[in-house]
Amino acid sequence: MADAIEPAGVKFNLEYAPALESTSIVKIDAEYGLFIGGKFVEPKSGETFATVSPSTEETLARISSASAADVDRAVKAARKAQTEIWGPMSGRDRAKYLFRIARQLQERAREFAVLETIDGGKPIRESRDVDVPLAAAHFFYHAGWADKLEYAFPDRRIAPKGVVGQIIPWNFPLLMLAWKVAPALATGNTVVLKPAETTSLTALLFAQLLQDIDLPPGVVNIVTGAGATGSALVEHKDVDKLAFTGSTSVGKQIQRSAAARGVPLTLELGGKAAHIVFEDAALDQAVEGVINGIYFNQGHVCCAGSRLLVQESIAESFVDRLKNRLATVRVGNPLDKNTDVGAINSAEQLGRITELVAAGVAEGAELYQPECSLPDRGYWFRPTIFTNVQQSHRIAREEIFGPVLSVLTFRTPEEAVAKANDTQYGLSAGIWTEKGSKILWMANELDAGVVWANTFNQFDAASPFGGYKESGFGREGGLQGLAPYVSLSSPKRGSR
Amino acid sequence: MVTPPSRPGRLGEVKTEVATPTASAVFAPRSRSGVALRVTPVDEVGLEARAKTFTTRSIKTSSKRAAIDLAVSCIDLTTLEGMDTPGKVAALCRKAVRPDPSNPAVPSVAAVCVYPQLVPVAVTHTNGTGVHVASVAGAFPSGQSSLAVRIADIEQAVADGADEIDIVISRGAFLAGDYNYVFNEIEAQKVACGPAHLKVILETGELGSYDQIRKASMLAMAAGADFIKTSTGKVAHNSSMPVALCMAEAIRDYAEQTGEIVGLKVAGGIRTAKQAWHYLVLIAETLGTQWLTPDLFRIGASSLLNDLLLQVQKLDTGRYSGPNYVSVD
Amino acid sequence: MNERLDVQKTYKLFIGGAFPRSESGRTFAVHAPDGSLIANVASASRKDLRDAVVAARSAQTGWAARTAYNRGQILYRVAEVMEGRRTQFVEELCRCGVKAATAELEVDRAIDRWVWYAGWCDKFHHIAGTVNSVAGPYFNFTTPEPTGVVGILAPEKPGLLGLVSRLAPALVSGNTAVVLTGEASPLTAVSMAEVVATSDVPGGVVNILTGATHELLPWLLGHRDVNAVDLTGAPDLEASVVAEAADNVKRLIRGEPDDQSPYVIADFCEMKTVWHPIGR
């Protein structure tokens, strides 16, 4: 052994380096106006509010708060653009504008990704690999529809709804904007969009992008603000269609208002998805699916797999696998490329998560959180697994919208279905088994708009997304996602 | 001819003699200690997606040097060519013992890996250095000789001084479903190895699916492998991150189910330091850092070593370097 | 001349495959244009509505689980049985003041509409469903499923054809229905129920309630176990009544009284999207 050189230290400790994404690409203004009629304008209200970075609690900018008068101005701009320009425009030209948007989003992808992470707290890995590419893909997909609508709805007369009011949440700010704006524009509508008050920045950067591509003024208007701004948009008498993504409670308020006036509506609301793992599953991939299903975007995902239903025969070992895997999940600075779980979006949301987790403990569920150090400033919550959860516990019924997994068990496929469907929600569900016929049986039985079998949290512009039951109605994406934005009527013809 | 010891068949039926392959597609192996093994199915898309995530981890600069040293110390520095000569092997051994003559801080590699014919040469040139001599024995790389011939090959290599033996499984019998046959063969070759460590090459590029890789991993471990190894480097598809992940997960399951610890060797196509880091991250996050030692992890490679040395020079000098600044072998 | 005395029909509700009177005991009178009394028709109460929803819910899973081929044959059977009663339907329309030629046309079209929709049962998935080309190694498809229990406000005009035009497409995908027919065309509505009852349609799949729609509607819209309500035939509604639908995020459907289209079938459907990896 004389000549041999041994490596230093018997046990090797693999430390990851902070790999911070540079923020130099992003320029944040001190103050933002409202985007109305193709220009940034001062709010009539004169009011602004601060938007903070949830990972540092630093104020990033001041955002204008749109009053009812501002919303009215935006709706008027949208109406004018719809009747005079966008409605009469050929599908071919609308398509070209949408293609331009898609290309610009691809070219400026890094800028949008970094800004999304700064403003919303989500890991740069996700904004870079998921949010922004999917947003661009959504515009590209719908661009192609703009001049092909007669193939989407054969044997129908097709007309745009007109002016569409859209309200989006803070969990996927740019992506939700794309899901709303792209189909609306492709079908000839104009838009008044309200981003969530904690995450307006990428929408405002998007507005600048629209100026760069010369989108006609008024086709897209962005009114920032909180709930009151949203109400003003919902209540506005000259809006022809409403679309909302957000909580079920707010969704119901909006439906009350819209239904009473007969305004067409699509809702994409909350969820409490069951993620069902059978003993014959590809267990290592199931572990990945479950981890991705609940900790992706800090669990701020309406379709998150927040209820793990695992077959009793493998429950213990599967939970062990989850805990082992959780030990490698990295929580921290969202701008770090090694980060898997970033910051909770707001102090308010952190409070809600904390409250429900406390309820889980009080109800007798067993809490597990891995050791991990959290930054001193900002809003953070440790990835959490609750075991011994019963169907009647609050943490098994209420949407937590955070990185909290509730584990329940089942014995038979029938029981899995019964437990999975025992909720007022019906947005998504996950199935893990290597038995094909069981997948198809389960997929049939589950009340959910999206069923992921042997995968989870996959999204695509061509794939319709939306819920059953109180998770909402209408679809976004795919052929089915176009329908809410058009008025269809029977063609005039003789009796058949 | 060595016949495998007669004991209750861990794959079901008792076989005392390896004979003509016969299909018996029931796969229900037991571990060396008799534990019935569960083999988990594998989903290709999910596995590959997970494998990709290891390639985006960034290693801390202060850990980087240690990572390079570790990677070097885990290398089975390999030459497996028809044109190999004693001179080539001598040069390889020198490089293995002292990878960078100008920098004594760089550790030796784990082993040199050569054809059986050249084992005596390798033994001569590594004697007393701590660098192991590994030999690919048993009709490498196809394994298409009679078991008797393969066993003789192994016995000769061990007699010549090889302390690690890399063998291939009979892919034909495995794909034909004759798991007993494959199991018994490995077991017999393990006996032939005597004190030498046995690395069992699955030749994953010929198995057709990750399910088969997982199954072959469990089979090889149950039959006595000290290491399971991805590939010979002689077919189109060699080691890849998903293949290594699939096998690492099998090793983890085997350890959980039996308490027995088996090593992993990845081989073929690993040429850059960056690739080596990706594998280290994969092992650390799948099996834990306790697997990151030459006793349990090996990289079969030849050109990788020089790329690692160039990285050391970069760390030491702050300059990017070039191939003229490291020895060819 | 020995004229035979008519046997007059009692016009009752249709709930769970049976023909009960209203539990409230109420009826409303239907008169001919000349003012003469044609019948006293049962006037459904909210308890009848509740019973109808229970019947519809318990029939829903079974109806949806039948093969599309089977549902198609049953809906076609409705047309067959209705054809046999063609004269009766025409006569009932005429008694309520519709001209003979118009009545004949309406009945023919109603029968043909059943035939048309019967044929869609095993075909509308081709139109409403899709296979989606996602950017990854996944097989992805979207398939329509029944939304569950649907409430239908039958259009007042055309009374019979309107009822069939909204009911038949709802049944195609496997929904069960609670139909409020109001007070406008109760004779044909009840006869339609009798046809349904004798056409192999399982009890509870179709429930028909005659009576005061404005009284029942708030209960229907507010019912948490009703998944969707078709307002095509709704009179002018009070805003606060329709708002009740939001309580369980009910789907509200508005169409045309005399439309015939696979899009109407889709209006009564949920779209389910399924993902699965493609691998070895």
Side-chain angles (χ1 to χ4, degrees), chain A residues 153-154 156 252 255 443-444 446 448-451 453-454 458 460 462-464 467-469 472 475 480 490 496, chain C residues 128 130 132 135 138 140 142 145 242 244 246-247 249-251 256 259-261 263 270-277:
Chain A
F153 306 105
R156 294 276 101 172
K252 286 180 181 181
Q255 193 185 4
N444 253 337
L446 290 167
V450 183
V451 176
N454 292 323
Q458 300 290 340
D460 196 278
S463 177
Y468 279 38
K469 304 198 285 191
R475 292 293 176 267
Q480 290 81 358
S490 49
R496 284 166 286 181
Chain C
T130 49
N132 311 311
Y138 298 94
N140 176 298
T142 300
E145 288 193 345
V242 190
E244 284 304 307
D247 182 66
V249 194
K250 208 173 260 100
R251 287 90 176 106
E256 300 168 35
D259 195 5
Q260 172 179 287
S261 155
Y263 296 99
E270 302 285 340
M271 294 293 160
K272 178 178 277 178
T273 299
V274 181
W275 292 70
H276 195 279

Side-chain angles (χ1 to χ4, degrees), chain B:
Chain B
M1 157 165 184
V2 175
T3 52
S6 169
R7 54 180 173 182
R10 296 203 292 269
L11 272 157
E13 172 186 359
V14 180
K15 268 198 178 179
T16 52
E17 212 170 275
V18 176
T20 326
T22 51
S24 62
V26 178
F27 185 72
R30 288 174 179 279
S31 76
R32 277 164 263 181
S33 52
V35 178
L37 297 171
R38 293 185 308 276
V39 184
T40 306
V42 183
D43 180 78
E44 175 180 327
V45 174
L47 178 84
E48 292 185 350
R50 172 65 176 146
K52 208 174 167 190
T53 63
F54 301 120
T55 65
T56 63
R57 294 297 201 198
S58 160
I59 300 176
K60 205 167 191 156
T61 317
S62 59
S63 296
K64 232 171 212 173
R65 181 56 196 266
I68 292 171
D69 284 356
L70 176 74
V72 169
S73 70
C74 288
I75 288 180
D76 281 2
L77 196 61
T78 303
T79 184
L80 295 171
E81 301 298 335
M83 61 193 287
D84 286 346
T85 57
K88 164 77 184 176
V89 171
L92 187 82
C93 291
R94 186 60 210 160
K95 179 95 175 172
V97 173
R98 184 71 84 190
D100 187 345
S102 63
N103 187 349
V106 176
S108 306
V109 304
V112 290
C113 183
V114 296
Y115 271 119
Q117 185 80 336
L118 291 156
V119 166
V121 182
V123 168
T124 306
H125 289 91
T126 54
N127 195 23
T129 65
V131 172
H132 298 283
V133 174
S135 180
V136 288
F140 180 92
S142 71
Q144 296 282 29
S145 292
S146 73
L147 181 60
V149 168
R150 283 180 277 155
I151 282 173
D153 199 19
I154 292 167
E155 287 173 339
Q156 183 64 52
V158 174
D160 287 344
D163 54 0
E164 298 181 0
I165 298 293
D166 292 20
I167 63 162
V168 293
I169 65 164
S170 293
R171 281 86 76 194
F174 182 83
L175 292 170
D178 196 344
Y179 305 121
N180 282 321
Y181 181 87
V182 178
F183 182 93
N184 290 335
E185 258 192 355
I186 296 171
E187 201 172 42
Q189 292 175 90
K190 169 72 179 166
V191 171
C193 283
H197 273 208
L198 176 66
K199 303 192 200 110
V200 177
I201 303 169
L202 308 181
E203 196 65 303
T204 56
E206 293 188 342
L207 296 185
S209 73
Y210 295 112
D211 274 323
Q212 294 286 61
I213 294 170
R214 186 96 171 217
K215 203 191 279 182
S217 299
M218 293 304 257
L219 179 83
M221 289 187 282
D226 297 300
F227 267 73
I228 50 175
K229 175 177 167 185
T230 58
S231 6
T232 59
K234 301 291 180 194
V235 297
H237 298 287
N238 294 302
S239 182
S240 67
M241 291 290 285
V243 163
L245 176 59
C246 182
M247 290 170 66
E249 286 172 343
I251 289 170
R252 184 209 54 207
D253 281 3
Y254 189 78
E256 275 172 15
Q257 292 174 30
T258 67
E260 294 164 22
I261 306 294
V262 175
L264 175 66
K265 178 173 172 183
V266 294
I270 303 158
R271 297 191 182 88
T272 66
K274 197 167 187 177
Q275 283 175 292
W277 289 335
H278 294 165
Y279 281 103
L280 298 184
V281 171
L282 183 154
I283 299 293
E285 291 203 14
T286 309
L287 290 165
T289 47
Q290 67 270 29
W291 249 270
L292 288 179
T293 113
D295 293 340
L296 292 171
F297 179 61
R298 294 287 178 85
I299 304 171
S302 38
S303 58
L304 169 66
L305 180 56
N306 272 348
D307 197 57
L308 288 165
L309 296 179
L310 289 174
Q311 295 298 323
V312 174
Q313 292 182 4
K314 165 70 174 56
L315 285 176
D316 288 352
T317 66
R319 290 172 194 281
Y320 291 109
S321 188
N324 286 347
Y325 294 84
V326 287
S327 60
V328 288
D329 55 25

Side-chain angles (χ1 to χ4, degrees), chain A residues 400-465:
Chain A
I400 300 174
F401 224 63
V404 182
L405 178 69
S406 298
V407 183
L408 298 95
T409 60
F410 68 91
R411 296 162 299 177
T412 62
E414 286 80 2
E415 190 178 23
V417 166
K419 286 186 167 176
N421 286 345
D422 178 24
T423 163
Q424 74 264 38
Y425 295 115
L427 189 50
S428 63
I431 309 164
W432 293 85
T433 167
E434 285 297 288
K435 188 174 177 189
S437 56
K438 191 157 60 184
I439 291 171
L440 294 175
W441 184 82
M442 294 289 294
N444 253 337
E445 295 293 314
L446 290 167
D447 297 333
V450 183
V451 176
W452 285 295
N454 292 323
T455 185
F456 205 86
N457 270 349
Q458 300 290 340
F459 309 94
D460 196 278
S463 177
F465 185 92

Side-chain angles (χ1 to χ4, degrees), chain A residues 9-341:
Chain A
V10 180
K11 194 181 159 190
F12 178 72
N13 189 15
L14 198 68
E15 274 186 82
Y16 297 131
L20 294 184
E21 184 74 37
S22 163
T23 58
S24 60
I25 195 166
V26 168
K27 185 181 151 290
I28 302 176
D29 295 342
E31 198 165 312
Y32 288 88
L34 307 168
F35 185 66
I36 295 175
K39 293 194 193 73
F40 282 93
V41 298
E42 298 276 311
K44 286 186 174 171
S45 67
E47 284 170 25
T48 63
F49 61 94
T51 190
V52 302
S53 160
S55 57
T56 63
E57 298 179 52
E58 279 168 338
T59 295
L60 297 168
R62 294 202 68 82
I63 309 283
S64 294
S65 182
S67 63
D70 294 313
V71 169
D72 183 57
R73 196 156 45 136
V75 172
K76 286 200 169 89
R79 174 64 63 199
K80 187 168 174 348
Q82 209 281 328
T83 12
E84 294 175 7
I85 304 169
W86 198 249
M89 188 184 285
S90 71
R92 185 193 58 196
D93 287 351
R94 286 202 310 272
K96 285 179 180 170
Y97 278 112
L98 290 172
F99 280 124
R100 283 188 188 180
I101 296 173
R103 279 299 196 227
Q104 280 277 325
L105 279 173
Q106 289 172 337
E107 286 161 15
R108 299 173 67 175
R110 244 174 62 88
E111 187 184 353
F112 274 96
V114 172
L115 184 60
E116 196 75 300
T117 286
I118 292 173
D119 194 25
K122 67 171 59 201
I124 185 71
R125 196 165 62 80
E126 291 177 7
S127 48
R128 180 194 66 200
D129 297 347
V130 181
D131 295 61
V132 178
L134 275 179
H138 223 77
F139 278 101
F140 199 92
Y141 174 85
H142 286 91
W145 269 127
D147 55 0
K148 300 171 190 67
L149 295 175
E150 66 270 31
Y151 300 97
F153 306 105
D155 196 36
R156 294 276 101 172
R157 289 197 303 169
I158 308 157
K161 294 282 188 194
V163 173
V164 179
Q166 303 179 320
I167 300 174
I168 57 171
W170 45 259
N171 56 345
F172 295 90
L174 181 70
L175 183 58
M176 290 300 102
L177 174 150
W179 281 25
K180 293 281 180 287
V181 173
L185 296 194
T187 45
N189 302 280
T190 55
V191 165
V192 178
L193 176 106
K194 190 198 90 70
E197 66 270 29
T198 59
T199 54
S200 307
L201 290 181
T202 45
L204 294 164
L205 182 62
F206 180 78
Q208 292 170 1
L209 178 153
L210 295 181
Q211 291 179 321
D212 291 345
I213 63 132
D214 294 324
L215 188 75
V219 173
V220 173
N221 305 275
I222 295 173
V223 288
T224 46
T229 308
S231 297
L233 183 55
V234 168
E235 304 289 337
H236 197 287
K237 299 213 161 26
D238 201 32
V239 169
D240 301 305
K241 186 218 158 38
L242 288 164
F244 170 77
T245 296
S247 73
T248 290
S249 62
V250 175
K252 286 180 181 181
Q253 289 170 29
I254 292 174
Q255 193 185 4
R256 291 190 77 84
S257 170
R261 292 173 294 134
V263 178
L265 173 69
T266 43
L267 294 175
E268 203 270 88
L269 308 177
K272 192 74 193 176
H275 208 154
I276 303 162
V277 180
F278 286 95
E279 62 180 10
D280 58 0
L283 293 175
D284 288 302
Q285 287 73 54
V287 166
E288 290 307 312
V290 170
I291 294 281
N292 173 48
I294 186 63
Y295 303 118
F296 175 63
N297 200 32
Q298 299 72 249
H300 302 327
V301 186
C302 46
C303 54
S306 52
R307 284 187 296 153
L308 170 63
L309 291 172
V310 57
Q311 195 158 10
E312 208 168 311
S313 53
I314 55 159
E316 212 181 306
S317 67
F318 192 78
V319 170
D320 285 346
R321 281 172 191 246
L322 280 180
K323 289 177 179 174
N324 286 338
R325 177 65 177 84
L326 204 51
T328 66
V329 168
R330 301 171 61 83
V331 185
N333 186 346
L335 282 166
D336 186 338
K337 282 173 270 192
N338 287 326
T339 292
D340 301 313
V341 174

Side-chain angles (χ1 to χ4, degrees), chain A residues 385-402:
Chain A
I385 298 177
F386 270 118
T387 48
N388 290 332
V389 179
Q390 303 307 324
Q391 196 74 14
S392 56
H393 285 168
R394 278 182 72 194
I395 52 168
R397 308 202 72 77
E398 295 180 29
E399 188 178 36
I400 300 174
F401 224 63

